[in-house]
Amino acid sequence: MKRSPEIYIKKSIDLLIKPAMPILASLTCSSIIGLSDAYLAGRIGTESLAAMAFCEQFWFLLSLTTSAMGSGITVGLAREAKGSAKAQNFLVNSLLASAIMGVALLLASLLLAHVLKLHPAWLNGESIEIAGYFEVCAYSMFPYTILQSQSAAFRASNRSGCVLRVWLIATVIELCLANLFVMLGWKSLSALAVSWGIACFAAM
């Protein structure tokens, strides 16, 4: 018996589009946070905006590291039977490895901030502000790494909706706090970094 095109379309939607939509939405949330922070940094000052653009290149490299680990977790969990003892052990070990990586990235960021403080002439005197931003942002690396691992585990267990919920929580908290801090007069990149750190911890 031949299957109608409508059946194939419905299957494609169920298997591909529906699970992908929450992930796409979570990536959109991340972009919204970036755009909002860039706008607020511009309001603080052009120097802050330039400092943020410089820092974002390093954060992009660090986020690639956490994304790579998340991809490994997704593939590893997908290979194991759902709910099996092997899958549970793999998940626990993955979260432990993520925690270790989060601490390593935190220390690397703090080290870079310290180096920039020691050599302010490297960036035409802007190193102090950049270093301060790095220092505060560094403490969000641990919860951010855990969030990436949690999202990977949700994707592997076909719970993409949980991924969306996590990033929606982080986005709403970050946007509200960042705008509130700037409105109250805390016109510094540290305000944006603190907002992101609190959002990451709250969404865990």
Side-chain angles (χ1 to χ4, degrees):
M1 184 179 69
K2 288 187 177 181
R3 294 182 178 179
S4 64
E6 289 79 7
I7 294 178
Y8 284 110
I9 293 173
K10 186 177 183 303
K11 273 198 165 186
S12 298
I13 292 174
D14 291 337
L15 293 175
L16 298 175
I17 298 178
K18 281 185 178 179
M21 287 306 294
I23 299 172
L24 177 61
S26 66
L27 293 175
T28 302
C29 288
S30 180
S31 298
I32 289 172
I33 291 174
L35 289 171
S36 173
D37 282 355
Y39 169 73
L40 292 175
R43 286 182 58 187
I44 294 170
T46 55
E47 294 83 3
S48 296
L49 185 58
M52 183 178 216
F54 176 83
C55 293
E56 288 300 322
Q57 301 309 309
F58 287 95
W59 290 121
F60 176 70
L61 292 175
L62 295 177
S63 67
L64 286 180
T65 304
T66 60
S67 296
M69 172 168 276
S71 298
I73 293 173
T74 301
V75 172
L77 285 176
R79 287 177 178 173
E80 305 294 343
K82 188 176 180 181
S84 67
K86 277 189 175 182
Q88 294 294 332
N89 289 334
F90 182 85
L91 179 59
V92 171
N93 292 332
S94 298
L95 291 177
L96 179 59
S98 298
I100 295 172
M101 176 176 283
V103 173
L105 293 176
L106 185 156
L107 295 176
S109 300
L110 290 177
L111 177 61
L112 178 58
H114 181 67
V115 171
L116 289 173
K117 276 186 175 180
L118 292 177
H119 302 280
W122 285 2
L123 296 171
N124 297 323
E126 298 297 330
S127 292
I128 301 299
E129 183 169 7
I130 292 175
Y133 181 60
F134 250 98
E135 272 187 325
V136 181
C137 277
Y139 294 102
S140 67
M141 287 309 302
F142 178 79
Y144 177 72
T145 305
I146 299 299
L147 278 181
Q148 289 281 50
S149 299
Q150 286 179 335
S151 298
F154 286 142
R155 288 196 298 269
S157 57
N158 293 323
R159 295 167 64 190
S160 299
C162 293
V163 179
L164 175 59
R165 184 164 61 248
V166 164
W167 288 103
L168 276 177
I169 292 171
T171 301
V172 171
I173 293 175
E174 201 281 340
L175 294 179
C176 291
L177 286 180
N179 282 276
L180 178 63
F181 289 154
V182 173
M183 285 174 58
L184 292 177
W186 189 6
K187 295 188 176 182
S188 167
L189 286 180
S190 296
L192 307 183
V194 168
S195 302
W196 174 236
I198 293 174
C200 286
F201 274 108
M204 282 178 61

